[in-house]
């Protein structure tokens, strides 16, 4: 396998429309890196430049130490799995998987060995004689992955491969791809707009917005230490709640004051927040850090707030509450056995040690 290095990568389409801007990313040998972000953020364009399917406007792409900007896709030793499977309908599963090897004039015996091995790894050996129209969506996706495996490339590229599958099958297939990565010890670059996929699959995640990488980190660091408001809101399900307010003094304590919500900051936050005294900031609170006051959870620095229940979403093991306080709407995760009523004014507890703060002007993280 191989490492992949992107240096100052840029892509500008016709009419000077920038799609990718100054992307710098080093992907280590055997690493699983996920590019995640909303539609139009440049993640698929970045992947297609690595594959050679899009021309680079400026910057460099290195695969296994080799500059590949001007190398045709077939000579980059990569394999790509697409969202729409891209299978030949008139060919059997076996023929689809073997096609690339036949073009490269591999011996029949080696083609047979590689196809059978990939079929065994993916659990589709019994489907090799069928045609794509006789397969389910999940089976077609396995065939598309198998076609990549038989190539034994240096780098696997996945472009939103699970988007067309139903929710249950997506969960199953992302597990299969993660197992496949561990089994093959392969370098993989995976593109998705689904942050749950990103969090559960990637060794590291690169969050993109407007063609730029906002932050690159492992899933836990990304979740606990977002670099800015965009990353904080994009990573996590449901997304982080944001309240705009001001840092004020209350005797010897700093307080975040939103008007309807006042949160006294613990001592360990005082130094970082002192320069923002009497300034407007954005407070970020994850839904899981807001619970009902009777939840039984014990936090070192709890803070109470009152909010009106607007929508109740039972999720089985927990319940999502959509609440309002003043002009703000936010989400809280509460125990499934908490049974509020619509319109009720409900006391909630915030785990203030987990609260994030962002500068209002730059949206960069303060804490």
């Amino acid at each position: 396998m191989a490492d992949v290095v992107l240096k100052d990568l840029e892509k500008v389409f016709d009419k000077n429309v920038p799609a990718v801007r100054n992307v710098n990313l080093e992907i280590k040998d055997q690493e699983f890196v996920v590019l995640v972000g909303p539609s139009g953020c440049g993640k698929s364009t970045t992947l297609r430049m690595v594959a050679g399917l899009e021309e680079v406007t400026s910057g460099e792409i290195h695969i296994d130490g080799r500059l590949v900007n001007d190398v045709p896709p077939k000579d980059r030793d990569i394999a790509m799995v697409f969202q729409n499977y891209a299978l030949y309908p008139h060919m059997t599963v076996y023929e689809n998987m073997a096609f690339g090897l036949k073009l490269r004039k591999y011996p029949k015996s080696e083609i047979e060995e590689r196809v059978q091995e990939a079929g065994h790894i993916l659990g589709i050996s019994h489907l090799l004689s069928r045609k794509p129209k006789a397969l389910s969506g999940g089976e077609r996706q396995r065939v598309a992955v198998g076609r990549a495996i038989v190539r034994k490339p240096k780098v696997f590229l996945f472009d939103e491969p699970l988007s067309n599958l139903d929710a249950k099958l997506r969960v199953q297939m992302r597990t299969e791809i993660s197992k496949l990565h561990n089994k093959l010890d392969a370098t993989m670059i995976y593109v998705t707009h689904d942050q749950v996929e990103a969090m559960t699959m990637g060794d590291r995640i690169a969050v993109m917005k407007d063609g730029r990488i906002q932050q690159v980190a492992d899933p836990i660091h990304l979740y606990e230490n977002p670099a800015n408001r965009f990353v904080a809101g994009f990573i996590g399900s449901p997304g982080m709640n944001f309240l705009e307010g001001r840092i004020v003094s209350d005797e010897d304590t700093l307080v975040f004051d939103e008007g309807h919500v006042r949160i006294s900051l613990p001592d360990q936050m005082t130094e970082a927040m002192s320069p923002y005294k009497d300034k407007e900031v954005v407070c970020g609170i994850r839904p899981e850090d807001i619970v009902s006051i009777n939840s039984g959870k014990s936090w070192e620095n709890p803070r109470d707030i009152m909010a009106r229940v607007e929508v109740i979403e039972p999720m089985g093991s927990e319940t999502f509450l959509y609440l309002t306080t003043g002009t703000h709407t936010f989400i809280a995760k509460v125990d499934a056995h908490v049974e509020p009523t619509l319109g009720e004014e409900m006391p909630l507890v915030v785990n203030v040690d987990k609260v994030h703060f962002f500068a209002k002007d730059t949206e960069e993280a303060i804490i």
Side-chain angles (χ1 to χ4, degrees), residues 253-256 261-270 285 289-293 299-306 347-355:
T253 306
L254 288 182
V255 175
F256 169 77
V261 174
R262 284 175 61 88
I263 300 175
S264 298
L265 306 188
D267 293 341
Q268 64 267 28
M269 291 187 181
T270 301
I285 311 172
D289 295 323
I290 309 172
V291 298
S292 71
I293 203 163
W299 289 327
E300 185 175 343
N301 291 297
R303 297 292 184 271
D304 300 351
I305 59 174
M306 293 292 294
L348 298 165
V349 181
V350 175
N351 182 5
V352 73
D353 291 323
K354 296 290 187 177
V355 166

Side-chain angles (χ1 to χ4, degrees), residues 276-288:
Y276 292 86
K277 182 182 172 184
D278 298 323
K279 294 181 180 179
E280 291 188 342
V281 297
V282 177
C283 175
I285 311 172
R286 294 202 180 276
E288 49 269 38

Side-chain angles (χ1 to χ4, degrees), residues 111-152:
I111 293 174
E112 172 73 17
E113 181 182 341
R114 289 194 181 196
V115 171
Q116 293 295 343
E117 180 185 12
H120 175 71
I121 289 172
L122 294 167
I124 56 173
S125 298
H126 62 295
L127 303 176
L128 295 180
S129 61
R130 296 188 190 178
K131 291 186 177 178
K133 66 180 180 181
L135 305 178
S136 68
E139 289 168 341
R140 291 180 193 180
Q141 194 55 274
R142 281 188 170 86
V143 176
V145 173
R147 186 175 52 190
I149 290 175
V150 297
R151 293 265 314 280
K152 297 186 177 179

Side-chain angles (χ1 to χ4, degrees), residues 19-20 35 38-47 49 208-211:
V20 175
L35 305 182
S39 296
C41 72
K43 56 190 184 296
S44 288
T45 302
T46 300
L47 194 77
M49 284 193 285
M208 295 188 69
K209 176 191 176 188
D210 298 334

Side-chain angles (χ1 to χ4, degrees), residues 171-277:
V171 173
Q172 181 182 342
M173 280 302 299
R174 75 183 187 220
T175 303
E176 292 297 325
I177 292 174
S178 294
K179 286 165 58 179
L180 187 64
H181 173 249
N182 294 331
K183 187 174 294 186
L184 299 178
D185 287 329
T187 303
M188 292 186 175
I189 308 175
Y190 187 103
V191 161
T192 181
H193 63 273
D194 185 337
Q195 56 90 18
V196 175
E197 272 182 34
M199 292 288 285
T200 54
M201 297 177 74
D203 295 327
R204 284 190 303 149
I205 301 170
V207 183
M208 295 188 69
K209 176 191 176 188
D210 298 334
R212 300 182 188 276
I213 291 180
Q214 302 293 307
Q215 186 175 1
V216 183
D218 64 81
I220 297 301
H221 184 87
L222 207 63
Y223 177 82
E224 294 183 343
N225 302 283
N228 55 43
R229 178 173 175 171
F230 175 79
V231 175
F234 195 83
I235 297 298
S237 181
M240 183 181 285
N241 300 295
F242 296 106
L243 303 173
E244 295 184 3
R246 185 179 293 271
I247 300 298
V248 298
S249 290
D250 186 356
E251 297 181 352
D252 295 331
T253 306
L254 288 182
V255 175
F256 169 77
D257 187 355
E258 178 264 348
H260 296 85
V261 174
R262 284 175 61 88
I263 300 175
S264 298
L265 306 188
D267 293 341
Q268 64 267 28
M269 291 187 181
T270 301
E271 183 177 351
M273 296 306 299
S274 291
Y276 292 86
K277 182 182 172 184

Side-chain angles (χ1 to χ4, degrees), residues 64-77:
D64 198 18
R66 174 193 181 199
L67 180 65
V68 297
N69 286 40
D70 298 320
V71 176
K74 65 183 180 65
D75 298 326
R76 294 193 181 194
D77 202 5

